Amino acid sequence: MHTPTRRARRQDGAVAIVFSLTLVALLAVGGLVLDLSHLYVLKSELQNAADSAALAGAKEINLSAAGVTNAANKAIAFAGKNKYNFSTALSLSNADISFSSDPDGPWSSVSEASASPENKSFIRVDTSSKSVSTYLMNVVGINSVATSGVAVAGRFVVNVTPLGVCAKDLTKYNALAALPDGRRELTEYGFRRGYTYNILELGAVSGSPSDPMLLNPVDSPPTPCSPSNSSVNFTAPFLCQGNSALAANAAIVYANTGLSKVPTERALNSRFDDFPGGTSCIVATSPPDPNIHEYDYNITAADGGPGAWMTPAPTAAAPTVLWSYAKAAIAAGSAGSYSYGGDFAVADWPDLYPGTTASAGYPATGTPYSQAAGNLFHEAPDPGHTTGLNRRVLNVAIVDCSAETSNAMACRPLPVVGIGRFFMQSKASLNGGSPYFFVEFAGLITPVPNSEIKLYR
């Protein structure tokens, strides 16, 4: 029988020691991999929960205090549908929710955003740090690991009022008329700068008048149209502030011609420092224009009405107030590609508008709206109210109604051909026997950024 030598026995002991050390190292590495995998799963669970909660909450935002509350509640509810550490229910509160006008912050709490909801179109959901026990890392004193999920979702709000008008002429640049000296007037989709239109007629389909065409302020294809988002109550805060989440370069918008006239009228007339009881508008977020003077056809010349600079003065049958905000434009370029070539002068009125003569009362420079305080054409709002420059200017979607045969267009998709600037010359009157909403066309605006709801973080 062979008896191991002392040298062999020493080698066997060394192998045992090396094996033991290797085993400990392998177990440590295995434990690290196992615990890191657990941490990765935890991170994924929390991030998925934050993402779904933020997206759900963002769909409720409508720039109102109620929208902030609804967004927070919806985010918390959706977060609660998720679990972390495989089986632990995720529970969030308002402390984990914040709002901002920019996806990079700064962030406001739910109560702060409710008090000042203007432009708060982004929601941030933070699951806060969640800990789980380790499996093997506790051998080296690491008893738990922690991580969290943070998501930001929302949409950029743009200066496009959720109103639509039908294009009068689908040709973008169309020289309307020639003056004796050969100059021509620029029209854009059939609209003449400085010319007044009753917007109640601009939504007309098949020659019949219709209500102002509200647009769904947040949904646009391929997102389905939500009837609740098309309602006047949801749309009113956007009308108050004159913005929406519609992209000016969006190809399609959802129209809604069924509306409640009272809230729509109140939302529009906030620009004239008119805040009656029951309105959705508040001064802080929907301030009046610094000049609330009306240029309506029935205001006398002595009060700075159209008769002060037009002869003959407009009438209810022909309430065409001229150039209170922007002057008629000269068409420059060649046929089919006309562009803006400067403004016409007051002396050109008789040629542009047969039967109308220029009045000496028209301002020598600028237009009636641009006149300073103390002028016949200017009226200041309540001195205690913050004002917003050009609040009476509505950037409105010009849509293609050529294929429509009915005014019943709830959630009806309509092609957008451009965004036009329309100046409110007077308060809207949508109720009563002779409703009106007079606006003056002031030209097309440049497309603005896209504004779809998406995750930003």
Side-chain angles (χ1 to χ4, degrees):
M1 181 176 182
H2 176 71
T3 301
T5 64
R6 182 179 300 175
R7 177 183 178 86
R9 288 196 296 270
R10 286 201 302 268
Q11 288 176 337
D12 289 343
V15 169
I17 293 172
V18 171
F19 176 76
S20 298
L21 292 175
T22 302
L23 181 61
V24 170
L26 289 174
L27 288 174
V29 171
L32 178 63
V33 170
L34 183 61
D35 287 326
L36 287 179
S37 297
H38 189 192
L39 181 64
Y40 176 79
V41 171
L42 174 64
K43 174 66 177 178
S44 298
E45 291 173 327
L46 294 176
Q47 190 60 54
N48 289 338
D51 290 348
S52 63
L55 285 170
K59 294 178 181 179
E60 299 297 317
I61 296 174
N62 69 343
L63 311 184
S64 70
V68 169
T69 300
N70 292 340
N73 291 341
K74 183 61 72 70
I76 291 171
F78 263 70
K81 298 177 183 294
N82 292 270
K83 298 183 184 299
Y84 70 96
N85 197 22
F86 305 113
S87 60
T88 304
L90 179 62
S91 178
L92 301 184
S93 68
N94 279 356
D96 303 306
I97 311 295
S98 52
F99 295 85
S100 178
S101 58
D102 188 278
D104 294 321
W107 298 96
S108 302
S109 66
V110 174
S111 60
E112 291 171 337
S114 296
S116 181
E118 66 275 14
N119 295 330
K120 298 295 191 302
S121 59
F122 293 91
I123 182 173
R124 183 177 186 267
V125 176
D126 187 345
T127 66
S128 71
S129 182
K130 306 298 181 185
S131 300
V132 292
S133 300
T134 57
Y135 295 111
L136 295 174
M137 289 175 65
N138 56 8
V139 174
V140 292
I142 302 176
N143 299 317
S144 65
V145 290
T147 187
S148 63
V150 177
V152 173
R155 53 168 74 87
F156 281 100
V157 173
V158 295
N159 189 27
V160 176
T161 306
L163 287 172
V165 299
C166 295
K168 295 173 65 64
D169 184 336
L170 292 176
T171 303
K172 185 174 182 180
Y173 299 116
N174 172 37
L176 182 68
L179 271 65
D181 61 6
R183 291 179 299 168
R184 302 177 70 88
E185 181 184 3
L186 174 69
T187 65
E188 296 158 292
Y189 297 116
F191 294 106
R192 306 165 69 177
R193 295 194 188 190
Y195 207 86
T196 303
Y197 301 89
N198 185 349
I199 208 169
L200 296 183
E201 303 293 335
L202 293 182
V205 176
S206 301
S208 60
S210 71
D211 293 328
M213 185 189 296
L214 289 183
L215 301 181
N216 186 314
V218 296
D219 297 333
S220 57
T223 302
C225 177
S226 169
S228 61
N229 291 347
S230 297
S231 69
V232 69
N233 290 331
F234 185 89
T235 307
F238 292 96
L239 287 175
C240 291
Q241 296 180 37
N243 52 26
S244 67
L246 294 171
N249 56 355
I252 303 289
V253 291
Y254 291 121
N256 177 26
T257 52
L259 59 88
S260 177
K261 295 180 180 180
V262 173
T264 300
E265 178 182 300
R266 289 173 175 173
L268 293 169
N269 290 345
S270 63
R271 293 153 177 81
F272 291 86
D273 208 19
D274 189 358
F275 297 94
T279 181
S280 299
C281 308
I282 57 177
V283 176
T285 59
S286 306
D289 196 279
N291 181 4
I292 62 172
H293 186 78
E294 297 184 78
Y295 308 107
D296 206 352
Y297 69 90
N298 58 2
I299 297 179
T300 65
D303 292 325
W309 72 88
M310 290 179 61
T311 54
T315 64
T320 306
V321 183
L322 301 178
W323 300 4
S324 57
Y325 178 83
K327 296 179 179 180
I330 301 169
S334 57
S337 60
Y338 289 108
S339 60
Y340 175 72
D343 294 329
F344 281 108
V346 175
D348 294 313
W349 283 13
D351 292 325
L352 284 171
Y353 315 106
T356 301
T357 57
S359 169
Y362 193 84
T365 59
T367 59
Y369 170 76
S370 65
Q371 302 308 298
N375 189 280
L376 180 67
F377 305 110
H378 188 282
E379 179 183 349
D382 187 319
H385 289 173
T386 301
T387 61
L389 186 64
N390 282 326
R391 279 277 292 145
R392 290 164 63 177
V393 176
L394 309 177
N395 295 331
V396 175
I398 300 175
V399 297
D400 179 2
C401 302
S402 61
E404 301 303 318
T405 59
S406 170
N407 283 322
M409 294 191 289
C411 275
R412 181 75 170 182
L414 291 177
V416 177
V417 297
I419 302 294
R421 304 172 73 212
F422 291 86
F423 173 70
M424 285 186 68
Q425 293 177 319
S426 61
K427 294 180 183 178
S429 178
L430 305 183
N431 300 282
S434 300
Y436 59 84
F437 179 14
F438 295 128
V439 292
E440 175 186 317
F441 183 63
L444 299 177
I445 66 169
T446 304
V448 291
N450 204 323
S451 56
E452 61 183 329
I453 289 180
K454 64 179 183 178
L455 285 168
Y456 286 84
R457 182 178 304 168

